[in-house]
Every structure is written in C-alpha cells, then in structure tokens.
Amino acid sequence: MYFLYELERVITLHPSFFGPRVKEYLTNRLLEDVEGTCTGQYYIICVMDAYDISEGRVVPGSAVAEYTVHYRAVVWRPFKGETVDAIVSSVNRMGVFADVGPLPVFVSNHLIPSDIKWDPNATPPQYTDNGDQVIEKGTHLRIKLIGTRSDVGSMFAIGSIKEDFLGTL
Amino acid sequence: MSSADLLNQDFGSESEDDNFNPAPAGDSDNDAAGDSDGELNVTTKVNGTSQRRQPSGQRNAGEEEEDIKEDGIGDADGVGDDEDDEDEEDDDEDEEEAISGRPRKRARRDPRNQFLDVEAEVDEEDDGEEEDEEGETAGFIAETHPDDLGDLPEGANTDDRRHRELDRQRERAQQIDAEQQAQLLREKYGRRTANTADPVTVPKRLLLPSVDDPSIWGVKCKPGKEREVVFAITKRIEERAGTKNPMPLISALERGRTMAGYVYIEARKQADIHSALEGIMNVYPRSQVILIPIKEMPELLRVTKSEQLQPGGYVRIKRGKYAGDLAQIDDVETNGLEASLRIVPRLDYGQNEDANAPMVDGGIKGDAKRKRQGAMGLTNAAVRPPPRLFSDVEAKKKHMKYLQQMSTFDKKHWQYLGDNYINGFLVKDFKIQHLITENVNPSLEEVTRFSAGAEDGTENLDLSALAATLKKSTANENYLPGDTVEVYEGEQQGVTGKAISVRGDIVTIGVTEGELSGQNIEVPIKGLRKRFREGDHVKVIGGSRYRDEVGMVVSIKADQVTLLSDLSMQEITVFSKDLREASDSGVAGGLGRYDIHDLVQLDPATVGCVTKVDRESLRVLDQNGSVRSIMPSQISNKIEKRRNAVATDRRGSEIRTDDTVREIGGEQKQGVILHIYRSFLFLYNREQTDNSGISVVRATNVATVAAKGGRVAQGSSSGPDLNKMNPALMRNGANGNAPMAPPKSFGRDRALGQTVTIRKGPYKGLLGIVKDTTDSEARVELHTKSKTITVPKDTLGFKDPLTGQSIDYTRFSGSRGRGDGGRGGFSGSMGGATPGREPAWSGGRTPLPMAGGRTPAWGAGAASARTPAWSANVSTARTPMWRQDASSTNTNGGSRTPAYMSSTDGSHTVNPYADGSRTVNPYGGNTSYGGAPSGGARTPAWNPTATSSSYSHDPFASSTTINTNPTGSRTPAYEPSYRTPAPSYPTPNATGSASNNRPYDAPTPGKDFATAPTPAAQPSNGYANVGSTPAAMGGAPTPKFSGDAPTPFGGQPETPGWGAGEDTSPRYEEGTPSP
C-alpha cells in the first residue's frame, strides 16, 4: 500500500559544499540517498519535497556539518493480505519467484492451485494447468501476500495464488 | 475381596487401555492376570496362579472357601489386627492342611461342602466366573460321591485331586486359546469394548480395595534390583506351592523407576512378609516396611507406559569403562531386563600393560592386573583408551592368545578377552537398568561412528532410529505463554487461544475465537497443539533435525507444517510442536563457530563455502564444486573474508567481493561474489535453490555485470580507460606508459628524528620530533606538551636541511630517495666494472625516487615531461644493458643497457659523463656540447649515445625550461656527480666548473646519494644527482631534465662514474646540499 509519509534524515556535508547552493545540494543528496531504498519496513519510492531543512550544525571535532532534512516521500509498504500484481522472475520446482516492483515474492507450490502443475519439461519450465494458465518467467501474476519478512535493508514476502481472482493476468 | 481382585480391577487408570480394564464377564481369570502382567510396568503377579490353584484345590476340600469367608467376616466386623492375625494363623493352618491334603480336615469339612453354595464364594475370589463355574462343575462331578469318600482310601483321594489338576491344566490350555481369540476379537472390535466399558464403570468403584482386602506393604530393596526381587519371590512361591510351607504372600510388584528401591508386596500380615522374604537377596524386609494406605493402592497400580527399547535405537551406558558412551541397541531380551548393545570399543590391546607381568606370574596374575587396570579405567576416564573400532591386527600384536575368531565365514567376528567383536563393534549384553535410555541426545559425531562400519565405506545412518531417539529425548511439548494454541482433543476441541500460563501439564489459555472468546480455560497439554497460519514467520525448535531453521509457513496439514526456510529457500516439513513463532525480521544466523556463507579451510588444498548449518554438521560447497557434509571438527579453520581481495575476470577487469558477475558459458551462473579464493569465486544468488544459492566458478570464466559502488570496470568492453584519455599521461606513452609508481623509500625513514611541523588537523601548527614512522604515518612527539601523536606523514612539514624552508614529506624523503639510488649505484660500482651495471640499475631506480621527487620539479616542470622521460628512463635506463642500447640506439633506452656497462668500466664512468653531458646539454648547447665533452672524455661509444640520446630526447625538449632552471641551480649538483667519476667530471666541468668544485667539496657522499636520487630533489638535486651518482643520475636526471637528460644519462653514466668515485658518497652530500 502506498503512503505519503513524512520522514526526516540527517545529512552531513563536507565543508567544501558550504555555499550559496547548499540547499540545492542537500536536496540532491537526499534524493540520491533515499529514493529507491528499503528500510526493511517499506520502500521509499519517491521523495516529494524536502519541506524543512534545518540549519547546519558543525560537528565538533570535524568540519562536516549536519543538516536535518524533513521530507515527504511516497512509500510503499507491503502488507500481509495485500493483493498485488507481480511479474514472475523465475520458476522452479518449489514454486514461483515474482517481483512486485522492488519486492521479491515467493509463491510456493503449496500455494498454487492444485490444477496448475509444475511442468519441468516445457521450455522454459513452467507451471501450467494445460489450459490458458501458464506461469513462466515474465508472466504477470496477481498475488496475495500472506507473509512478509524484513531484513536489514531488504524485504521478502511469500504469496498465494490459491484463491479466487488470483493468478495469471 | 480376594487379593487377586486387586490386580484385576480397573482403577480407572488414565490410560484407556482396554487390556487393563476389569475383564468383562467373559474374561477368564488367566486373561486378566496375563494382561496385567503385560502392562503393569512392573507388576508381576506372583500369587495369582498359586492362589488360583489353591482355591481350586481347596474347593474340593472345601476348606479354603470357608477360611476366606471367615476372614471376610472377621474383617467386616471390624475386628482388629489381632483378630485378623488369629484368622491369619488359622488360615495358615488351614492352608497347610489343605495343601498337604490332610485327611482329618478334609473329612470334617467335605460333608459340609455339599451344602454350601460354593459358587457364591468363588465369585468373591475371582471374577473368572466361567472358569470357576467349570471348576465348580468339575468339583461337583468329582464331588458327586462325597459319601464314598470315606470308603476310599486316602491315597485315592489324593489321586483324584491329581486327576482333577490335570483336567484343570487342560482347561487352562484351552482357555489360553480362548484368550487369544478374545484378544483378537477385542482388537477387531475394540470400540465395542469401549462401549461396554460403561456398565463396567459402576462396578469399578465397588472393585476398589477396602479394609477387607489384604494390605500392601512397601519393602525396601536394593535399587535396580526390584525386578529381580519380584522374580525371586515368584520363584519361591512357585517352589513352595503345594508344600507344607506355602508362601503367605498374595502378590508382589515393583514400580520400576518411579519408585526405585521398593518392592510392593500384598499380604495379609506384615509378619508374612518377614517370613516369606527370608533369605531372598537384595530385599530388606527387616528395615522399615511401609503400609500403603488403602486410598493409595489404586495409585500404585496406575500404569505408566514403559518405554520400549527398540533395536537400532541409541542409549548411553551408565557405568564402567564405557560410562557415558553411546551404544546402539542390537537386541532386547524378551524379559526386558537386558539388552545387547553395540559399542565402539575402547581397547588398548595391552599396550599399556606391563609387558612382564603376565610372563612372571602367569595368566592369573596377568588377569588380575588387567582387572585392576580395568578398575582404574572405571574411575579414571583419562586413562581409558579412545573409542576405536576393534582391530584384530592390533590385538594380534600383543594379545594373540586372547584373540579368537568366532566364525569362519564371518571374518569380522572375533572374541577377544571374553568379549565379542562383530564388524569392529563390541557386542555385549547390558542390564537395562545400567543404561540411560532417556535424554540420550546422541550427537551426529557419535552416531556416525556406528554408521561408519558399513563395509563399502558408505555411511548409512538409520535416521529414523536416530529421530526416534531424539524425539524421545526432547521434553514433551513445551508451551510458552504467548504461544497460539489450539485444542484438538477433548471437550474443548477446536478452541483456539493464546497460552497465558503453563503449569506442569496444564496450560491456561485465553480463548481468542468462538463462543468462549475472552474466557480463560485450562487444558491438559496433551490435547493441545500449536497453531500457525500461513505466512507466519517461525523458527524450528526441539528435536527436529531442522532445528533452528527459520522460515515462513507455506502450508499446514493437521499438525504438520511446511515452511520455506529463509536461508536455504528449501521447504521443510516439521511438526507444529517443533515450531515457535519468530520475529518477522532478521535471519537467525548460524550456530557455533561457523555460519552460513563462511569460507572454511577443509584441508590445505581445499576450501569450501558453508551452504547449510545443521545442528551437528555443516554442508559445504568446496572449490571444486562438490558438496559435502562435514562436521565442524573437520574444518581446520575459517578464512576471514578478505575485503580487498581482487581477481580479474575474463576480460581482465578487476573484480572484488560484492561485485555481481556472470559466468561465461557453462551454466551462466550469476551472482554476487561472496569470496575470492585464489582463482575461485564463490557466488551467491538468491534465486538459485541448490546449495542455498551458493555456487563456485573460476574467475577466468566470469564477466562483470555490475561492480559494487559503480567502480568502473576496466577492460575492452566496459567503458573507456580514462587514463588513456589524459593527454598529459599519454605523453611519451609510446615508451611504456606504466603510471608512475609511488616513490619507494628504502632503509631508514629519513623522517625519523626530524623536527617537523604539523600542517593539518587538530594539531596543526605544532612542532614536534618524529619518533617513529610507518609507510603512511608518523608518531610525532610534540614539543608543546609531552604527548606523542600519530599523524599522516603528508601532513608533516619538514625543514629543508639546506634552505630551511618547510617542505613536505614526499619532497623530503624524495631527496633521500635519491640518496638511496646513489648508494646502490655506488656499491655496485665498487664491486667492479660489471657491477657497474648494477649501480646503473639502482640508479635506474632512482628514477622512482624521482617520481616521488616530482613534487617540486614535477609539479612545476611538467608532469608530462617527466613522466615520459622518467618512464623512458626507467624502462631503459634501469636495465643494466642500457648502455649498450645507448650505443646502438641513440635513444635513451638503448644507451642504458648493460652492454653499455660491459663496454667498459671506464666507459661507464664515461657514460655517466655522457649523461652528465646530456644533462648539461639541456643547460648549455646540448648536442654539441654534450657530445663534445662526452665524446672527448669518454669512450666514443659513449659519446654517440650520449649525444644522440640527449639530443634526441624529447623529454629534454619539453622539459627544457624546467631543466634549465634546475640546471642552473643544479649545476652544483651536477658537479658532484662529475666528481665521482673522475672521468666524468669533464662533463660536469663542461657544465660548470663551479659546480664541479662544489661537488667535490660538498661531498658527503652518503648524503648526496641519498638526496640525489630522488627526483624530487631533482630540479636542483637532479643535477647534483646526475653528477654524483650514476644511479642517482638515472633517477635524478631524468626527472629534472625531466625527460631529456635524465633518461639517457642518467642513470648510467653516473653509476659508472660513481663507481669510480665511490667517494662519491661525499658527493652525495654535495648533492643534497646542492638542492
């Protein structure tokens, strides 16, 4: 689910950047540092604006200055039970790996309807019900997330397509 | 109620064991007895049979019944013990009489018997009504002629009894069959019996023992011998049955481990116990005998499931040489007392024996000795030999006489010192009480010893047996408050909640769903199971072999949960009781010393990457791509991750850890580099399922996909080489454009002991003395406060020894570098002409210093100019040959070749000159100039080279300006150089007489040397250098002249010159000063 989230970040700046364009530089740094990262809980998709940049404070003992930047960002946090669209990134005997944007999702074969079976002999290998449903690399899937796990700086989820209206698109 | 009843009653034991239920009407006495024998952990029904027999025997006589009746009456009347005792005595008497079949009583009572309704009494005695009935009928048949009894002789009567006994035996045999049938039926229609259990429940209460029943006493015995005692009693009862002196005991039982050290004896009187147990081993009736309260009697018979030892399972041995050792159960004796175990023997094959002992005193003494050793082994674990499989070869060495092959066709069956060894294992019978059967916790290491015995060397572990052992060892299910649980059995079936508290076997749960929601209920643990949902993040605990795996639940079937392991991305299935909810984040790492993805050394030639960490073993992918399962002890060490390890990929680009690479050809494996080991890369790819995503490839087979941090991958395909785009760097690139190497200094750091200023950082401006240095840092003792700080050398300001100016470290040490170069050359020359080259060589090195030296000159002059020159110099100049080259080729490179050197020592010297001249050239007229002097002074060959080179040198040209400058200043330096090589002087002279003088004067050779070489010094020094040491020249000149002069001349000429002028060292000094 997407949220507009207010966050803050402390940016340290080398003295060589002190100058009239420091704000601009800070903003750029913020974008570079933050956009597209994952905190372990959510992904920061896009920084809308940095609405409050504090005054710089020189850190004692070094010349760098610290700026606290408050910014608004669009974040995406996957939830248990959320239904998402994904693109299959790989398929194997155990199940299907798919990517929901930055989030890798695993759909175990326990969570694939029983009529969709693993067919290792197809090229490329795929899950298929011998009808119109074929899951192979690149297939678009609608998945319900049933569990998420967060590591430091990354997330992982497992999903299910074993319900109505889930599966290939 | 008769004693047998006690055993046959169902006291509502918690186990719903049908067998133990009071026998339904149809059940025979025997059945009940047999069953109870089987199940009561320990109960051995001792008197059952005799009792049974007795009454039947007595029934004929009709005595016992009466006695019993009397007893009953007495008890019922609440008569005290005394009375009871009297009765007992009567009983005894009667019994004796009955057994001996004394005619008097028989005669007296028999007639009465006719009028008694015997059946009613029999009822009381046993519930085996049928049997009794039959017995009764038999009795009646036998008894139909009671009147005749008197007529019959006594013997006849006895005979009759014997007949009937025979009959009864047959009946019993028949009944056993019936029992079996009943058993079968019960098995088939087990539920029906359960249904019929209902009517039985009512009488159950009535069946409970009362004061009328015999008492049960607990008698102390030797712990562990309970069962033996019971058997001994049984045996004695059987022996004495039918004798004058039958055992007055009714039954005996033991409670095994739960009440170790006690046997329980059912008897009418305590005195009976004393008399009956007289002379039985290991039981102590004279010590305290405990009367079991009537209320507790049923408890005494409560059945606990005795654990069955299964062949193949594992146990530990409690005592003896093998105390604590793991043993595998080979076989279990049917009596449940002993088990045959397979053990890895601990033998020393007599190695520690005193060799003389058996010889001196014969076998007996030897045996004694051995025994003593054995005894020691018991107490002192350190003495006992390590467990190893039996080796007949070892045994034959010293104990041939004790060794015996047991079977001809099974070559691996030996007898040694009285024990059997099969396939290397000791096979020995142990009493089960000497074994630890619970919480055995075999470790994989121990277990593998048993598996290693396979003949073909393959390890075939009986995992199921292991699992069974492990399962047994884990404490029941343990619930923690907060666990989500579900009741799957009992009245509350289906209720779900969270455990609030756990006390013993009772879990209080707060119901979260359904009608009871919000209430707290208590549920016994056995009807509970943990409940998970798909997607839960769980950790495996408990005895499963997947212990400590963490993963997400993907499916649940009853109590089997399938989860996807976080680490291996494998699906594993475990029981829900072995799971616990884990936090949603973080991957619990490994256990012990090795973690997944660690690089470990397996043997000197093999390394592997850990792909899986089990409880006892690791799975490792080695550099050859093979996967092995090893134990941590097999790992010699862990190789720390080398962050700065570098390899080159197929295209020659540098690759480091954390880069993403793809295999070219092969399986096109792709992944992030975890480890670089020699030419092998261990890659990790999350999407790969085998080996937990780890694979191994050769560095030469991969291409970089993405370098970490956007490091530019170099190489043909990946982006331009920025170095090549820099015109400055490209100058003279043709001659070999290796980037200038950083200056290297040798020997003592010149900075040591210098007074320096600190130019940067918190200590900026302070003055101090350098106490110690490393490559990049210096320890400076401050003048201001007595404190020694560590600062980078770059931030130090040195005082120029000549000018007093503040110079930085590179420059400072640079000058020194020259010196080094010079020295090298110097020494070389000392050695001899040929060696002269060497000097040249070193001189050549000087250039390096020069590089360092660049700072001044370089910066100013032109990096480009020098570099090229430098490089040129370096390459050519350094080679000893260069002289030759020089001759052959005008260019610098040529001139320097050693050939040159070889040409003549003199010439060498000359060369230096030449160089010098060249250098000079820059200064003055150059070509002509250089040529002339050099030519004149030096060997012709020399000249050419010199001239040509100097002239030709681009560097020269380019650097001219610089050179000139330097020259000016350097002149002096120059001179020094000249001096060294006397011959060379000329050249120098040419440059400037004054300078010459200086060199001469200046002279501390050492110094010069030091200084001269470094390019840095160059500009000024350079000259000096050149002049002074050949080597120096090489270095110095180049730089200064930068390109021009330096190369050619440089190095070499000086060297030679040098050599000649060993004294040069003084020059050196001069050199230094000159700058």
Side-chain angles (χ1 to χ4, degrees):
Chain A
M1 201 177 290
Y2 294 91
F3 298 90
L4 192 59
Y5 199 38
E6 292 184 359
L7 294 158
E8 68 172 56
R9 182 178 179 82
V10 175
I11 296 176
T12 55
L13 221 53
H14 189 268
S16 54
F17 296 107
F18 298 168
R21 299 176 67 194
V22 65
K23 289 249 156 102
E24 184 187 330
Y25 183 76
L26 281 171
T27 317
N28 286 335
R29 268 289 289 276
L30 178 70
L31 296 183
E32 276 172 28
D33 287 358
V34 144
E35 269 191 3
T37 61
C38 174
T39 63
Q41 296 295 317
Y42 50 81
Y43 292 94
I44 298 175
I45 305 296
C46 171
V47 173
M48 304 295 291
D49 57 345
Y51 61 85
D52 178 19
I53 298 176
S54 74
E55 292 194 337
R57 200 175 63 86
V58 175
V59 178
S62 74
V64 297
E66 264 186 10
Y67 291 84
T68 307
V69 181
H70 292 264
Y71 62 100
R72 257 186 293 268
V74 176
V75 303
W76 177 58
R77 176 169 183 183
F79 285 94
K80 257 187 195 184
E82 186 178 355
T83 301
V84 291
D85 291 346
I87 298 175
V88 174
S89 60
S90 77
V91 174
N92 63 33
R93 186 174 51 78
M94 315 278 303
V96 174
F97 284 93
D99 289 331
V100 182
L103 174 74
V105 179
F106 177 69
V107 182
S108 161
N109 56 13
H110 292 101
L111 299 169
I112 295 176
S114 49
D115 59 329
I116 302 185
K117 292 199 176 61
W118 169 236
D119 179 4
N121 298 322
T123 28
Q126 61 188 19
Y127 279 89
T128 177
D129 65 349
N130 295 318
D132 55 350
Q133 296 202 76
V134 173
I135 303 175
E136 58 186 22
K137 188 173 177 177
T139 305
H140 292 229
L141 277 186
R142 181 156 292 165
I143 293 172
K144 183 173 159 188
L145 302 181
I146 62 169
T148 61
R149 182 184 76 225
S150 17
D151 298 338
V152 178
S154 69
M155 295 186 75
F156 182 73
I158 62 171
S160 165
I161 55 171
K162 206 175 183 177
E163 280 177 44
D164 290 346
F165 311 111
L166 298 179
T168 52
L169 293 177
Chain B
M1 218 180 237
S2 96
S3 58
D5 281 347
L6 182 61
L7 290 176
N8 292 330
Q9 285 160 10
D10 187 345
F11 296 111
S13 74
E14 59 195 306
S15 91
E16 296 282 316
D17 225 319
D18 288 341
N19 288 341
F20 191 57
N21 283 340
D27 269 350
S28 72
D29 185 16
N30 275 339
D31 181 19
D35 283 344
S36 60
D37 271 348
E39 282 144 280
L40 276 192
N41 185 357
V42 213
T43 316
T44 321
K45 173 155 183 195
V46 174
N47 234 354
T49 43
S50 66
Q51 180 82 2
R52 230 172 285 134
R53 188 178 300 164
Q54 275 176 357
S56 49
Q58 288 151 6
R59 206 165 292 140
N60 283 338
E63 288 172 11
E64 184 64 14
E65 285 86 335
E66 202 180 59
D67 284 343
I68 288 170
K69 204 176 167 190
E70 277 169 18
D71 280 351
I73 292 161
D75 286 348
D77 291 342
V79 184
D81 271 350
D82 291 353
E83 221 176 325
D84 208 17
D85 280 352
E86 280 175 34
D87 284 342
E88 295 286 340
E89 280 162 27
D90 282 348
D91 269 351
D92 289 349
E93 250 179 81
D94 292 345
E95 274 174 18
E96 281 168 27
E97 286 166 358
I99 285 159
S100 61
R102 224 182 273 162
R104 177 183 61 84
K105 282 203 173 174
R106 194 172 301 267
R108 179 167 61 89
R109 301 222 174 160
D110 275 353
R112 232 170 89 190
N113 196 20
Q114 293 175 56
F115 308 105
L116 280 177
D117 181 5
V118 185
E119 271 188 39
E121 280 174 7
V122 169
D123 223 348
E124 211 177 312
E125 183 176 298
D126 258 324
D127 45 17
E129 293 162 28
E130 270 182 340
E131 187 208 1
D132 288 342
E133 251 170 346
E134 280 169 304
E136 209 53 44
T137 26
F140 276 122
I141 292 165
E143 226 77 25
T144 34
H145 313 287
D147 299 345
D148 299 342
L149 279 177
D151 304 339
L152 285 172
E154 282 188 20
N157 215 353
T158 322
D159 280 348
D160 189 33
R161 188 174 68 97
R162 294 215 181 265
H163 285 304
R164 258 178 269 118
E165 259 177 16
L166 185 64
D167 284 345
R168 212 156 279 123
Q169 274 174 6
R170 284 187 189 150
E171 272 169 28
R172 214 168 283 137
Q174 279 181 342
Q175 275 167 359
I176 288 172
D177 288 343
E179 263 171 53
Q180 283 170 348
Q181 274 183 340
Q183 182 80 24
L184 285 175
L185 287 176
R186 216 176 299 135
E187 273 170 18
K188 242 180 183 175
Y189 306 106
R191 276 181 199 165
R192 275 189 207 166
T193 27
N195 290 339
T196 57
D198 252 346
V200 180
T201 43
V202 186
K204 242 191 218 172
R205 301 221 172 108
L206 301 178
L207 291 173
L208 286 176
S210 68
V211 285
D212 303 342
D213 298 310
S215 316
I216 298 178
W217 276 275
V219 184
K220 277 201 175 159
C221 69
K222 193 172 185 180
K225 299 283 187 185
E226 299 89 359
R227 204 171 271 208
E228 280 175 36
V229 170
V230 171
F231 282 128
I233 295 171
T234 319
K235 203 176 162 202
R236 180 171 284 192
I237 288 173
E238 278 169 8
E239 278 172 357
R240 295 207 194 157
T243 65
K244 267 189 179 177
N245 184 24
M247 290 277 276
L249 306 183
I250 294 154
S251 69
L253 60 107
E254 53 107 359
R255 291 293 309 188
R257 285 187 196 87
T258 46
M259 288 300 292
Y262 280 96
V263 289
Y264 296 91
I265 293 173
E266 191 183 13
R268 292 270 169 205
K269 293 178 299 183
Q270 194 173 351
D272 291 348
I273 293 172
H274 291 302
S275 60
L277 296 186
E278 198 66 50
I280 291 184
M281 300 263 290
N282 298 324
V283 64
Y284 316 115
R286 297 292 164 200
S287 64
Q288 198 190 3
V289 173
I290 305 164
L291 176 66
I292 307 294
I294 289 173
K295 274 188 189 169
E296 292 177 13
M297 285 186 193
E299 299 291 320
L300 200 57
L301 295 183
R302 183 153 285 160
V303 174
T304 52
K305 208 50 170 187
S306 71
E307 68 192 301
Q308 296 290 323
L309 292 180
Q310 296 293 345
Y314 295 91
V315 294
R316 277 183 201 285
I317 295 160
K318 273 188 194 160
R319 280 175 254 161
K321 192 191 203 175
Y322 297 103
D325 278 12
L326 191 72
Q328 192 172 26
I329 301 170
D330 218 25
D331 194 12
V332 182
E333 302 280 326
T334 41
N335 64 8
L337 284 181
E338 290 197 335
S340 153
L341 302 181
R342 290 207 305 156
I343 307 166
V344 183
R346 290 175 180 272
L347 297 173
D348 61 3
Y349 306 104
Q351 298 299 320
N352 297 331
E353 235 171 47
D354 183 358
N356 295 324
M359 310 290 275
V360 175
D361 282 343
I364 296 170
K365 175 79 182 238
D367 282 346
K369 173 123 185 138
R370 195 166 47 249
K371 266 181 197 157
R372 232 178 296 132
Q373 279 183 340
M376 273 168 56
L378 300 189
T379 52
N380 189 354
V383 176
R384 66 178 183 175
R388 267 184 312 157
L389 293 184
F390 178 75
S391 150
D392 49 304
V393 180
E394 284 285 309
K396 277 172 187 164
K397 281 183 188 163
K398 282 189 117 179
H399 278 169
M400 190 63 191
K401 56 182 168 180
Y402 302 119
L403 188 65
Q404 190 182 352
Q405 187 146 22
M406 293 304 287
S407 137
T408 43
F409 67 96
D410 181 7
K411 300 251 160 147
K412 297 207 162 170
H413 189 176
W414 298 86
Q415 192 171 47
Y416 171 66
L417 287 173
D419 286 329
N420 283 312
Y421 295 88
I422 299 174
N423 287 331
F425 294 103
L426 166 63
V427 177
K428 199 174 180 183
D429 286 354
F430 279 82
K431 299 215 156 148
I432 286 179
Q433 67 215 25
H434 293 155
L435 303 177
I436 301 172
T437 54
E438 282 171 355
N439 287 321
V440 173
N441 283 330
S443 72
L444 198 61
E445 234 157 333
E446 289 175 308
V447 167
T448 43
R449 288 206 200 111
F450 290 97
S451 66
E455 308 219 346
D456 51 356
T458 55
E459 296 191 2
N460 44 355
L461 270 183
D462 184 357
L463 284 179
S464 57
L466 180 59
T469 312
L470 284 175
K471 205 170 200 171
K472 236 195 292 179
S473 65
T474 53
N476 311 359
E477 329 193 349
N478 40 7
Y479 292 91
L480 287 185
D483 284 351
T484 307
V485 295
E486 169 187 29
V487 185
Y488 71 96
E489 240 181 39
E491 293 171 7
Q492 263 92 26
Q493 188 169 1
V495 172
T496 309
K498 270 195 185 304
I500 293 173
S501 72
V502 183
R503 197 186 304 144
D505 281 352
I506 304 292
V507 180
T508 309
I509 60 174
V511 183
T512 51
E513 289 174 20
E515 290 178 4
L516 295 174
S517 181
Q519 296 183 36
N520 290 353
I521 60 172
E522 296 196 337
V523 188
I525 247 176
K526 98 184 150 139
L528 278 184
R529 69 173 167 226
K530 287 183 191 166
R531 181 184 163 129
F532 298 94
R533 290 168 189 279
E534 286 171 356
D536 280 353
H537 203 231
V538 294
K539 179 173 186 176
V540 183
I541 55 167
S544 158
R545 71 190 173 97
Y546 296 112
R547 181 155 154 189
D548 289 336
E549 290 267 12
V550 182
M552 275 193 278
V553 177
V554 295
S555 89
I556 301 169
K557 267 183 204 147
D559 65 341
Q560 292 193 13
V561 177
T562 303
L563 54 109
L564 180 78
S565 165
D566 286 353
L567 283 179
S568 60
M569 297 305 273
Q570 298 285 320
E571 285 183 358
I572 57 184
T573 302
V574 295
F575 291 111
S576 64
K577 73 178 176 71
D578 288 335
L579 288 179
R580 178 164 295 163
E581 202 139 340
S583 69
D584 264 353
S585 62
V587 178
L591 335 121
R593 298 159 54 207
Y594 304 104
D595 205 349
I596 190 164
H597 296 174
D598 277 354
L599 189 66
V600 295
Q601 187 94 42
L602 302 179
D603 61 56
T606 321
V607 296
C609 189
V610 179
T611 60
K612 190 167 189 309
V613 183
D614 279 339
R615 238 176 9 130
E616 303 283 352
S617 68
L618 302 167
R619 195 155 263 275
V620 169
L621 174 73
D622 74 11
Q623 65 199 12
N624 305 318
S626 61
V627 179
R628 1 178 165 169
S629 239
I630 58 168
M631 281 174 287
S633 56
Q634 288 174 271
I635 294 176
S636 55
N637 65 307
K638 174 171 157 182
I639 301 173
E640 291 303 325
K641 190 166 184 173
R642 271 167 271 195
R643 292 243 159 250
N644 46 8
V646 183
T648 48
D649 70 4
R650 185 187 180 84
R651 295 174 188 139
S653 339
E654 154 187 320
I655 44 180
R656 294 172 178 272
T657 50
D658 294 335
D659 287 357
T660 306
V661 296
R662 180 200 297 277
E663 191 183 18
I664 307 271
E667 299 174 45
Q668 300 267 324
K669 288 177 201 157
Q670 180 173 340
V672 175
I673 301 175
L674 282 178
H675 299 284
I676 298 177
Y677 180 78
R678 307 243 165 110
S679 62
F680 297 98
L681 309 177
F682 289 94
L683 309 183
Y684 175 64
N685 180 0
R686 178 147 223 166
E687 290 178 3
Q688 178 188 323
T689 54
D690 49 339
N691 295 333
S692 306
I694 296 171
S695 47
V696 60
V697 295
R698 279 186 167 272
T700 47
N701 286 346
V702 300
T704 309
V705 174
K708 191 196 180 194
R711 177 159 36 81
V712 181
Q714 300 163 347
S716 50
S717 63
S718 48
D721 179 358
L722 294 180
N723 285 336
K724 291 201 174 132
M725 298 177 70
N726 183 340
L729 290 177
M730 284 307 287
R731 263 246 181 130
N732 285 353
N735 289 348
N737 53 359
M740 233 183 273
K744 274 189 185 151
S745 56
F746 304 93
R748 187 170 185 269
D749 192 332
R750 236 182 130 227
L752 284 175
Q754 295 291 325
T755 298
V756 295
T757 53
I758 296 167
R759 303 195 299 185
K760 274 183 193 168
Y763 295 99
K764 178 174 176 177
L766 297 187
L767 203 62
I769 296 176
V770 178
K771 288 297 184 188
D772 194 9
T773 60
T774 66
D775 275 356
S776 57
E777 293 191 319
R779 300 269 299 158
V780 178
E781 185 181 82
L782 299 180
H783 282 194
T784 47
K785 37 182 171 180
S786 68
K787 190 179 177 188
T788 309
I789 56 166
T790 304
V791 289
K793 277 182 185 171
D794 314 339
T795 65
L796 297 179
F798 291 85
K799 235 178 209 166
D800 189 301
L802 294 182
T803 61
Q805 282 175 336
S806 181
I807 54 173
D808 68 5
Y809 176 72
T810 33
R811 220 171 132 174
F812 182 73
S813 64
S815 58
R816 178 222 182 189
R818 277 178 219 151
D820 280 1
R823 279 175 211 155
F826 184 76
S827 61
S829 52
M830 301 227 16
T834 8
R837 266 174 222 160
E838 276 202 335
W841 217 151
S842 9
R845 276 179 212 153
T846 24
L848 284 177
M850 304 253 342
R854 295 168 207 158
T855 16
W858 209 116
S864 61
R866 277 176 202 168
T867 5
W870 182 84
S871 56
N873 288 333
V874 173
S875 52
T876 44
R878 288 170 193 168
T879 28
M881 301 288 293
W882 79 265
R883 236 299 165 75
Q884 263 199 344
D885 289 357
S887 53
S888 58
T889 356
N890 296 334
T891 45
N892 325 330
S895 60
R896 284 157 201 178
T897 35
Y900 153 48
M901 299 291 294
S902 63
S903 58
T904 13
D905 297 352
S907 66
H908 291 295
T909 38
V910 173
N911 289 331
Y913 280 109
D915 290 352
S917 66
R918 286 172 201 163
T919 37
V920 173
N921 289 337
Y923 295 145
N926 310 344
T927 9
S928 60
Y929 173 46
S934 58
R938 301 144 194 177
T939 34
W942 180 86
N943 273 327
T945 50
T947 44
S948 56
S949 62
S950 57
Y951 283 159
S952 58
H953 284 311
D954 292 347
F956 236 111
S958 61
S959 57
T960 344
T961 43
I962 305 170
N963 293 332
T964 46
N965 290 333
T967 1
S969 55
R970 290 160 196 174
T971 358
Y974 215 137
E975 297 172 334
S977 64
Y978 292 142
R979 295 165 196 164
T980 11
S984 56
Y985 295 2
T987 11
N989 290 335
T991 28
S993 58
S995 60
N996 285 334
N997 296 335
R998 279 187 190 174
Y1000 271 117
D1001 305 340
T1004 21
K1007 273 197 184 179
D1008 272 297
F1009 260 6
T1011 44
T1014 25
Q1018 306 167 351
S1020 45
N1021 292 341
Y1023 270 179
N1025 295 332
V1026 178
S1028 27
T1029 27
M1033 302 264 328
T1038 1
K1040 304 185 166 177
F1041 287 131
S1042 187
D1044 6 347
T1047 2
F1049 18 41
Q1052 305 194 339
E1054 289 161 1
T1055 356
W1058 255 99
E1062 296 247 13
D1063 305 350
T1064 1
S1065 33
R1067 278 189 222 145
Y1068 235 144
E1069 285 206 32
E1070 282 182 273
T1072 8
S1074 59

